[in-house]
C-alpha cells in the first residue's frame, strides 16, 4: 500500500468518525444550532498535503456517506466534496501551512466557496436547503469551522500515517 | 505525426479524468434522486434567474427591514411599557399556571404519555441528526420492519403537550429519516384553531426556531390573537387533522398583500427531542 493510499484510508476513517460525531454529540457544542464542518477541515488537510486525486476520491466517498445519512438527495454532498477535494488538491505543493494563519484562511475561504456552490447547486437542481449564504447560520458555520481549523490541523499533523514519507519529503 | 496511445493519454491525465467522472456520477445521482429537471435548459435558466432575484430580494429586504425597524423600535418601546404594567397585574393572579402545567405533565406521565394519542402509533427514539447544517434530518430507531413507511406523521409529547414533529421522508429497514416541520422543504396544511382560518405552514430552517404560516386571508388580521394554537387541517391528506403545530407569535404581512404572514412558535422544542411517536394509523379525525 502506498503512502497516499494509507493516508486516504486513515482520513476516510477519521471522516466517518466526524460524520458520526456531527450526527450525534456535536449538537451539544453547537452555536445557535450550527455545528462546525469538521469533515471539510479533514478533507482540506488531506487534499493540500496529498494532492487532487486523494482529495477528490475521499471527498466523493464522504459526500455519498453524508447524503445517505441525511434527507439530502443522493449526490448533493458528493458533488460539493468532490469539487472541494479536487480544487484544494491543486494547491498541493504550492501552499506553506504555518500553524495558525494559513489553516484558518484556507478553511474559511473554502467554507465560503462551499456555501456559494451549495446555493448554486440547490438552485439549479431545485433542492430546498435550510441554510443559505444570507442566513446567519451560514456565517456562524464559516467562523466556527475556521477557528477550529488550526488546532485540528495541528492534531492531524501528529498522526504518523498522514505525514509524508522520507522520500516524499526529499522530493 | 502519430497520435499518442489512448492509455498514455488517460494515464497522464488520470486526476483530471477521475475528477470529471466523479463529478458526472454525482450530477447524475443528484438529477435522479432530486427528481430534478436539470436536463431542461429553460428550467435551469428560470432557476438561476429566480435564485439571483431572491438574493437581491434578500439584500433589499435587509435594508428595508433596517429602515422599518426604527419606527418599529418606537412602537416596541410603547408595547414594552404596556406589557410591564400588565405583568405587574398578572403577578397578583392567584393561580400559578406554571405549577399547574408541571403537575399536569407529571400526571400524564404516570398515566402513560401514549394515552393521549388515538389510533395506532409506534414509539421511537431519536438516534441521530443531520451531519451538516444544510439540511434538517432526524433519524429514529424504527424502520420498515417495524411498520414505518414514507409519509407517516411523527409527533412528540413534551411537557404534557402533543406537537407535530414532521413526517417520515425515508424509511430504511431498521431506521427512518424524519423531515421536521422546521425544514425549508416542509409544508403542512394548517388551521388556526379558534378563528378557523386555513393556511400553509412552512419551515424557515432549523436555526430560525420559528415557522411561517402563509396564505391566511387578510380578513383574519384582527381576529387572530397572540398565542392562538395552529394545528393540522388535514387538507391534502398528508397529515391527519387536529395535530398541534405551534402557537401564533407575530402577525405580519403588508396591508396591500392578499394574505398574512404569521410567525408560529413550534409546540415541540427540537433541541430536546428524544422520543417521538410515528402515527401508523391516526384513527380518523381527532
Amino acid at each position: 500500500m502506498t503512502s497516499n493510499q494509507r493516508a486516504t484510508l486513515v482520513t476516510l476513517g477519521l471522516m466517518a468518525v466526524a460524520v458520526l460525531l456531527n450526527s450525534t454529540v456535536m449538537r451539544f457544542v453547537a452555536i445557535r444550532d450550527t455545528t462546525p464542518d469538521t469533515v471539510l477541515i479533514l478533507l482540506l488537510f488531506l487534499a493540500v498535503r496529498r494532492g487532487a486525486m486523494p482529495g477528490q476520491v475521499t471527498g466523493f466517498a464522504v459526500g455519498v456517506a453524508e447524503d445517505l445519512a441525511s434527507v439530502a438527495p443522493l449526490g448533493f454532498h458528493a458533488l460539493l466534496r468532490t469539487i472541494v477535494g479536487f480544487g484544494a488538491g491543486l494547491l498541493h505543493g504550492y501552499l506553506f501551512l504555518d500553524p495558525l494563519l494559513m489553516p484558518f484562511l484556507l478553511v474559511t475561504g473554502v467554507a465560503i466557496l462551499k456555501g456559494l456552490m451549495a446555493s448554486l447547486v440547490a438552485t439549479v437542481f431545485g433542492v430546498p436547503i435550510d441554510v443559505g449564504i444570507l442566513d446567519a447560520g451560514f456565517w456562524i458555520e464559516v467562523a466556527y469551522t475556521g477557528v477550529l481549523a488550526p488546532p485540528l490541523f495541528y492534531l492531524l499533523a501528529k498522526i504518523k500515517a498522514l505525514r509524508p514519507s522520507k522520500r516524499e519529503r526529499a522530493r | 505525426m502519430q497520435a499518442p496511445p489512448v492509455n498514455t493519454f488517460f494515464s497522464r491525465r488520470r486526476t483530471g479524468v477521475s475528477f470529471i467522472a466523479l463529478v458526472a456520477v454525482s450530477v447524475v445521482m443528484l438529477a435522479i434522486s432530486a427528481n430534478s429537471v436539470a436536463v431542461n435548459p429553460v428550467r435551469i435558466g428560470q432557476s438561476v434567474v429566480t435564485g439571483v432575484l431572491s438574493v437581491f430580494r434578500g439584500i433589499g429586504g435587509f435594508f428595508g427591514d433596517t429602515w422599518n425597524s426604527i419606527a418599529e423600535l418606537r412602537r416596541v418601546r410603547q408595547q414594552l411599557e404596556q406589557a410591564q404594567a400588565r405583568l405587574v397585574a398578572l403577578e397578583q393572579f392567584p393561580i400559578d399556571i406554571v405549577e399547574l402545567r408541571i403537575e399536569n405533565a407529571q400526571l400524564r406521565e404516570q398515566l402513560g404519555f401514549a394515552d393521549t394519542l388515538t389510533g395506532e402509533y409506534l414509539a421511537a427514539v431519536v438516534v441521530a441528526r443531520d451531519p451538516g447544517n444544510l439540511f434538517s434530518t432526524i433519524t429514529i430507531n424504527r424502520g420498515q420492519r417495524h411498520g414505518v413507511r414514507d409519509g407517516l406523521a411523527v409527533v412528540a409529547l413534551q411537557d404534557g403537550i402533543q406537537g407535530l414533529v414532521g413526517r417520515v421522508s425515508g424509511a430504511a429497514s431498521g431506521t427512518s429519516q424524519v423531515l421536521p416541520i422546521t425544514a425549508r422543504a416542509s409544508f403542512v396544511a394548517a388551521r388556526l384553531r379558534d378563528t378557523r382560518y386555513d393556511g400553509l405552514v412552512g419551515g424557515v430552517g432549523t436555526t430560525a426556531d420559528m415557522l411561517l404560516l402563509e396564505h391566511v386571508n387578510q380578513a383574519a388580521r384582527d381576529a387572530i390573537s397572540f398565542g392562538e394554537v395552529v394545528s393540522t387541517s388535514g387538507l391534502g391528506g398528508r397529515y391527519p387533522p387536529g395535530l398541534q403545530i405551534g402557537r401564533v407569535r407575530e402577525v405580519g404581512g403588508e396591508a396591500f398583500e392578499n394574505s398574512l404572514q404569521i410567525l408560529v412558535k413550534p409546540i415541540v422544542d427540537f433541541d430536546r427531542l428524544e422520543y417521538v411517536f410515528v402515527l401508523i394509523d391516526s384513527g380518523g379525525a381527532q
Side-chain angles (χ1 to χ4, degrees):
Chain A
M1 187 184 281
T2 65
S3 168
N4 263 354
Q5 287 169 339
R6 194 168 55 244
T8 304
L9 280 178
V10 170
T11 309
L12 270 174
L14 289 172
M15 283 175 172
V17 173
V19 170
L20 282 175
L21 289 177
N22 273 3
S23 304
T24 51
V25 294
M26 214 59 173
R27 68 190 180 97
F28 297 114
V29 292
I31 299 173
R32 287 186 63 189
D33 291 334
T34 306
T35 53
D37 192 350
T38 46
V39 171
L40 180 72
I41 299 175
L42 291 167
L43 180 60
L44 288 179
F45 183 85
L46 177 83
V48 168
R49 289 217 162 196
R50 297 283 167 169
M53 185 57 119
Q56 66 192 19
V57 171
T58 315
F60 178 78
V62 77
V64 170
E66 283 182 294
D67 288 331
L68 293 174
S70 160
V71 290
L74 190 65
F76 185 87
H77 288 104
L79 179 62
L80 294 179
R81 300 285 191 207
T82 303
I83 294 171
V84 166
F86 175 76
L90 294 180
L91 298 172
H92 172 58
Y94 294 101
L95 214 60
F96 171 71
L97 285 176
D98 68 314
L100 202 69
L101 191 64
M102 195 49 85
F104 173 77
L105 290 177
L106 175 73
V107 171
T108 305
V110 174
I112 293 171
L113 285 176
K114 192 203 84 178
L116 291 169
M117 279 193 303
S119 295
L120 182 70
V121 172
T123 305
V124 169
F125 287 90
V127 179
I129 54 173
D130 279 358
V131 180
I133 50 169
L134 293 175
D135 294 316
F138 170 70
W139 296 102
I140 293 171
E141 183 191 315
V142 168
Y144 203 170
T145 310
V147 167
L148 215 58
L152 267 181
F153 267 52
Y154 175 79
L155 290 174
L156 290 169
K158 297 278 177 197
I159 298 173
K160 196 179 169 188
L162 299 180
R163 277 189 228 149
S165 62
K166 280 180 185 169
R167 197 192 304 164
E168 285 168 333
R169 271 201 297 263
R171 265 190 284 173
Chain B
M1 209 160 75
Q2 205 173 2
V6 177
N7 60 344
T8 312
F9 175 85
F10 282 118
S11 60
R12 278 183 186 168
R13 293 163 180 82
R14 202 163 50 114
T15 306
V17 171
S18 304
F19 174 67
I20 292 166
L22 290 174
V23 167
V25 170
S26 301
V27 168
V28 169
M29 285 194 306
L30 187 54
I32 293 168
S33 62
N35 230 352
S36 171
V37 284
V39 286
N40 185 339
V42 177
R43 294 296 291 270
I44 290 177
Q46 284 174 343
S47 301
V48 171
V49 170
T50 313
V52 172
L53 286 174
S54 59
V55 167
F56 277 98
R57 192 183 166 203
I59 295 168
F62 170 75
F63 286 111
D65 289 348
T66 308
W67 181 255
N68 290 336
S69 63
I70 297 167
E72 185 75 8
L73 195 64
R74 205 173 296 140
R75 203 161 57 84
V76 167
R77 189 173 287 167
Q78 286 173 350
Q79 285 177 342
L80 179 68
E81 285 167 4
Q82 288 170 356
Q84 280 173 334
R86 211 171 150 213
L87 183 66
V88 171
L90 281 173
E91 277 175 345
Q92 311 299 320
F93 206 70
I95 301 168
D96 191 335
I97 294 171
V98 177
E99 282 297 323
L100 276 176
R101 183 173 280 182
I102 291 168
E103 193 184 331
N104 187 15
Q106 287 169 342
L107 285 170
R108 276 181 188 278
E109 201 170 3
Q110 285 174 29
L111 287 167
F113 274 149
D115 287 350
T116 60
L117 295 170
T118 56
E120 192 187 343
Y121 60 88
L122 188 71
V125 178
V126 174
V127 289
R129 311 266 177 157
D130 199 284
N133 300 310
L134 291 173
F135 298 89
S136 312
T137 317
I138 296 169
T139 308
I140 57 172
N141 68 340
R142 291 286 183 265
Q144 283 178 346
R145 70 165 183 265
H146 305 103
V148 180
R149 56 186 189 276
D150 286 4
L152 291 178
V154 179
V155 297
L157 287 152
Q158 281 183 343
D159 304 327
I161 303 169
Q162 179 194 311
L164 182 65
V165 172
R167 67 184 171 85
V168 176
S169 63
S173 174
T175 59
S176 299
Q177 287 176 339
V178 177
L179 181 74
I181 51 174
T182 51
R184 283 204 171 125
S186 168
F187 293 97
V188 186
R191 180 170 292 148
L192 287 147
R193 192 180 62 183
D194 301 330
T195 50
R196 311 305 291 169
Y197 282 97
D198 283 334
L200 199 63
V201 168
V204 287
T206 42
T207 54
D209 200 26
M210 283 283 174
L211 304 168
L212 189 61
L213 174 58
E214 294 181 291
H215 307 292
V216 177
N217 199 309
Q218 271 282 358
R221 184 184 284 275
D222 295 329
I224 297 168
S225 57
F226 180 89
E228 183 173 350
V229 172
V230 179
S231 53
T232 54
S233 66
L235 293 173
R238 187 169 265 194
Y239 293 93
L243 300 174
Q244 294 185 94
I245 298 169
R247 291 178 189 278
V248 171
R249 279 289 172 267
E250 191 183 317
V251 180
E254 301 296 336
F256 55 80
E257 288 176 339
N258 287 333
S259 62
L260 297 173
Q261 289 194 324
I262 301 166
L263 281 180
V264 175
K265 176 88 176 164
I267 296 278
V268 174
D269 180 355
F270 287 84
D271 283 340
R272 55 190 186 95
L273 192 64
E274 290 177 87
Y275 302 97
V276 295
F277 294 92
V278 182
L279 295 181
I280 305 290
D281 177 11
S282 62
Q286 291 175 27

